[in-house]
Amino acid sequence: MRLKLLLSLLLGSSFYAATAQEALELANPLQIPIHLSGNFGELRGTHFHAGLDIKTQQRIGLPVYAPADGYVSRLKVSTWGYGKALYIDHANGQTTVYGHLNEYAGDIADLVLQRHYAEKSFEIEMFFKRNQVPVKKGQIIAYTGNTGGSGGPHLHYEVRDTKSQNIINPLKEGYDKLVTDNIPPTVNNLFVYPISEQAVANSSGDPLLLDYTTEADGTLVAPTVKAKGKIGFGIDIIDKANFNANKNGVYSLETYINGQRTFSYRFDTFSFSESGTVNALIDYQRYVKTRTKVQKLFIERPYKLSVLKYNQTKGIIDVQPGESYTYKIVLCDFHGNQRTVVIPIEYSPMSASLPRTPEQGEFKINADRDYIFERGFASISIPASTFYHDLAIDISADNQVLKVGEPVVAFKKKMTVSFDTTDMTIENPAKTFIGRIDDKGRKDFYKTYKKGSKYTIYTKSFGEYQLMVDDTAPRIYNESFPEGKWLSNEKQISFMVSDDLSGIATIEGSINGKWILLDYDHKTKKIIHQFSDGVVVSGQNEVEIRVTDRMDNVAVFTTHFFRK
């Protein structure tokens, strides 16, 4: 018996080792030429991109193949985020992730459909034990789509360390060989930033756009910056590849002062917990106002981002009398294509003809401290380390409207906003919430917690807050068939749903009193039921659709159709 057990263990170990060796070679998950609409580490609006966005020829429904042996460890269907997603664990300790899928394939699809109906929910999440749902290299596991937060048909593809769940650049796992790229990164804009209070650069106390020329070898050279005090630089950059017009992110960046490296990053791997620090890396105020992502190549207040490396200067140049400097930026994509920027710097005692814009705000906030502000009916609680830097804000509370700061500040944590409604007339408390008016006059819903007359929300944005009322039910409209129609040759029915303020919370449907799966895409506002689920019957089918918004307003739509 012991001999058999030992033999079994040895055979199992050999199999695992062989599987691990095979799993090191990840194949193309689509079996079409790889063109990227987004790459690893790319700067997105709220995060660093965690994988590769692979183009699917503007189509939905391309087969997705397992790139190596493994087993399905997780499945998730969500209205937002990755939409329909699938996770495969491989024997080498890596997990591959597939997002924005249109549907799953084979036995995997059957498992998902069963769970939908077991939980009576469109949004589901499933976890599996090792080899409970095995897959082989080249097996079709799903089909590409545009679900969740996707802006167009593509496959979001990730490689993760299974144990830590840190994200790994897929180009490091051999996918660089599937992408043709001999185009160096492109510089769109270059800025100099006076940092210290008395700093001046080219007669300006505020950040200033720099000109540059292109040398024969492609090097960009800026005119000499005349400066004094502590300054830094910012850059707006993109990278492109052959056969691809998409403006992607840059793999690595290094800066040098007189040949000494001062600041750098390289996107090989990072953790999801670091992703929000994209708003510390960029000039966030400029981004909010212009949608331009200027990366700051210096650190005023340290923040945790593992891809960043810097020396004691933190990328800041302290321009001293009689000194001159050569500042160099080296940009590189994963394929080794480089772009170099050279900026000469000389000390100048000049005064600022464009003085530094003074920081506006009655209340000075030290980012390392807690604060509680009381203004009339409103209170604001700000925990320490909510912000990436010190700042000043104004706060006012008049006519039941709270104005706190300007929405140009990046948050690390949420602050608490509370309204004391004791002296307010609230006609419909159950439908009343605290909302925000954005800079375009649109209303943002916030989940509001109520305790007596106290209304509270948690938010990561400054701006204008006030009480709002949503007592209007969602809409259900544009059904795909007229009532009473025969649908014997149809494969599905669909409806449109929308809500004008708080947003849709739940969607439920039934046919002849039995729960049905309604596939919901928030982008198109469409819900679809597939007849292949097996709920419809021959003859008359009674349909009920019930949609509830986040303030518990309910819309109900009933109809019927016939089917042979």
Side-chain angles (χ1 to χ4, degrees):
M1 179 65 72
R2 290 181 63 189
L3 180 60
K4 288 183 178 179
L5 179 60
L6 178 61
L7 181 60
S8 176
L9 289 172
L10 288 173
L11 288 173
S13 299
S14 299
F15 173 77
Y16 191 87
T19 306
Q21 181 65 33
E22 181 182 1
L24 289 173
E25 299 178 2
L26 296 172
N28 184 344
L30 290 184
Q31 296 188 7
I32 60 172
I34 296 293
H35 300 303
L36 302 179
S37 59
N39 60 4
F40 186 80
E42 186 171 292
L43 280 60
R44 298 292 175 89
T46 58
H47 60 280
F48 297 109
H49 191 233
L52 302 179
D53 282 348
I54 304 175
K55 292 186 175 186
T56 56
Q57 301 171 344
Q58 299 181 333
R59 291 189 290 165
I60 288 174
L62 296 182
V64 180
Y65 302 88
D69 291 355
Y71 71 94
V72 177
S73 57
R74 181 185 178 196
L75 293 164
K76 184 174 183 180
V77 178
S78 174
T79 305
W80 309 95
Y82 289 179
K84 296 179 181 180
L86 183 149
Y87 301 70
I88 298 176
D89 284 9
H90 304 282
N92 70 324
Q94 292 181 339
T95 299
T96 50
V97 182
Y98 313 79
H100 308 307
L101 302 170
N102 189 57
E103 57 182 320
Y104 302 96
D107 293 343
I108 300 171
D110 293 340
L111 286 170
V112 172
L113 186 62
Q114 291 169 14
R115 181 60 66 90
H116 280 304
Y117 276 90
E119 294 189 8
K120 295 184 177 179
S121 175
F122 170 66
E123 293 198 335
I124 59 171
E125 188 167 15
M126 306 171 69
F127 295 91
F128 302 95
K129 296 179 181 179
R130 182 181 302 278
N131 293 329
Q132 185 178 348
V133 186
V135 295
K136 300 295 291 183
K137 183 176 183 178
Q139 176 183 333
I140 297 177
I141 54 175
Y143 297 90
T144 62
N146 185 32
T147 58
S150 171
H154 72 278
L155 175 67
H156 176 84
Y157 179 67
E158 291 179 17
V159 178
R160 300 184 187 179
D161 177 87
T162 303
K163 185 175 182 180
S164 68
Q165 285 298 292
N166 285 351
I167 321 108
I168 301 166
N169 191 337
L171 297 182
K172 290 176 60 65
E173 304 304 311
Y175 289 100
D176 60 316
K177 300 180 182 64
L178 302 179
V179 177
T180 303
D181 184 1
N182 57 21
I183 303 172
T186 299
V187 177
N188 291 327
N189 292 295
L190 189 63
F191 290 84
V192 60
Y193 283 75
I195 296 172
S196 57
E197 192 67 30
Q198 302 302 320
V200 178
N202 289 352
S203 300
S204 177
D206 280 338
L208 195 66
L209 183 67
L210 297 178
D211 293 326
Y212 51 84
T213 58
T214 305
E215 303 289 289
D217 64 356
T219 299
L220 306 181
V221 180
T224 300
V225 172
K226 307 284 188 178
K228 66 178 180 180
K230 293 182 178 181
I231 66 171
F233 291 91
I235 195 167
D236 170 22
I237 49 179
I238 59 168
D239 188 46
K240 294 184 178 181
N242 299 60
F243 318 114
N244 187 2
N246 288 80
K247 300 173 182 179
N248 297 330
V250 172
Y251 169 63
S252 71
L253 178 151
E254 297 177 324
T255 71
Y256 297 84
I257 282 291
N258 294 339
Q260 181 182 21
R261 188 167 62 182
T262 57
F263 179 99
S264 66
Y265 65 68
R266 186 170 66 182
F267 279 102
D268 288 324
T269 181
F270 61 92
S271 71
F272 280 103
S273 63
E274 300 175 287
S275 194
T277 56
V278 64
N279 291 330
L281 178 63
I282 65 171
D283 183 338
Y284 185 75
Q285 179 172 324
R286 187 180 301 274
Y287 171 68
V288 171
K289 292 182 175 181
T290 69
R291 313 313 290 178
T292 302
K293 296 187 182 77
V294 176
Q295 301 178 39
K296 295 188 293 185
L297 309 182
F298 55 91
I299 304 290
E300 293 180 89
R301 179 185 290 268
Y303 54 93
K304 292 182 179 180
L305 178 56
S306 59
V307 301
L308 280 185
K309 309 295 179 187
Y310 46 85
N311 68 1
Q312 69 278 3
T313 70
K314 300 183 178 65
I316 296 172
I317 308 100
D318 191 359
V319 183
Q320 295 295 314
E323 298 293 331
S324 62
Y325 312 82
T326 299
Y327 183 81
K328 183 167 72 171
I329 309 168
V330 180
L331 311 170
C332 192
D333 63 26
F334 194 89
H335 291 78
N337 304 298
Q338 285 193 1
R339 178 78 67 192
T340 300
V341 182
V342 177
I343 308 172
I345 306 168
E346 289 183 1
Y347 175 82
S348 171
M350 71 180 70
S351 299
S353 58
L354 297 171
R356 185 185 190 92
T357 302
E359 190 172 41
Q360 300 293 324
E362 177 184 359
F363 301 100
K364 310 299 180 185
I365 294 179
N366 181 327
D368 295 327
R369 290 183 50 195
D370 297 321
Y371 290 87
I372 296 178
F373 298 100
E374 303 282 350
R375 276 292 179 274
F377 59 86
S379 66
I380 304 100
S381 176
I382 302 175
S385 301
T386 294
F387 309 112
Y388 291 103
H389 56 81
D390 299 343
L391 64 148
I393 61 172
D394 286 318
I395 301 173
S396 66
D398 299 298
N399 298 319
Q400 300 186 9
V401 176
L402 169 67
K403 295 181 180 179
V404 51
E406 296 291 334
V408 294
V409 177
F411 281 59
K412 284 194 288 184
K413 298 179 181 180
K414 291 182 178 180
M415 68 177 183
T416 304
V417 173
S418 295
F419 283 17
D420 182 350
T421 65
T422 302
D423 297 326
M424 298 181 185
T425 301
I426 300 178
E427 296 182 355
N428 194 346
K431 305 300 181 183
T432 301
F433 62 93
I434 299 176
R436 188 174 76 98
I437 305 293
D438 71 12
D439 56 354
K440 295 182 179 179
R442 295 174 300 202
K443 298 178 179 180
D444 294 334
F445 170 84
Y446 282 83
K447 181 177 176 61
T448 302
Y449 301 87
K450 302 172 185 178
K451 187 175 182 180
S453 61
K454 186 177 182 180
Y455 288 41
T456 299
I457 64 169
Y458 303 93
T459 176
K460 295 179 76 173
S461 179
F462 286 143
E464 183 177 308
Y465 292 89
Q466 65 184 56
L467 293 179
M468 300 179 184
V469 177
D470 182 2
D471 56 7
T472 303
R475 291 180 62 211
I476 306 170
Y477 58 103
N478 277 13
E479 62 274 23
S480 60
F481 61 95
E483 186 168 21
K485 185 175 181 180
W486 284 86
L487 302 179
S488 301
N489 297 320
E490 303 298 324
K491 295 182 178 180
Q492 64 185 35
I493 54 175
S494 66
F495 306 82
M496 302 288 281
V497 297
S498 65
D499 188 70
D500 68 341
L501 185 51
S502 62
I504 291 173
T506 62
I507 300 172
E508 295 180 330
S510 65
I511 292 181
N512 302 324
K514 294 183 179 180
W515 186 89
I516 58 172
L517 174 62
L518 292 168
D519 200 309
Y520 174 47
D521 183 353
H522 72 93
K523 300 183 296 296
T524 62
K525 303 180 181 180
K526 180 176 284 190
I527 54 175
I528 298 173
H529 172 68
Q530 302 288 348
F531 290 158
S532 59
D533 287 2
V535 179
V536 298
V537 299
S538 296
Q540 183 168 328
N541 288 268
E542 298 288 342
V543 181
E544 179 178 287
I545 306 296
R546 177 180 294 265
V547 180
T548 306
D549 68 18
R550 288 188 281 183
M551 292 306 293
D552 294 326
N553 299 297
V554 180
V556 179
F557 180 89
T558 59
T559 186
H560 70 276
F561 63 88
F562 295 93
R563 185 172 171 84
K564 291 181 181 179

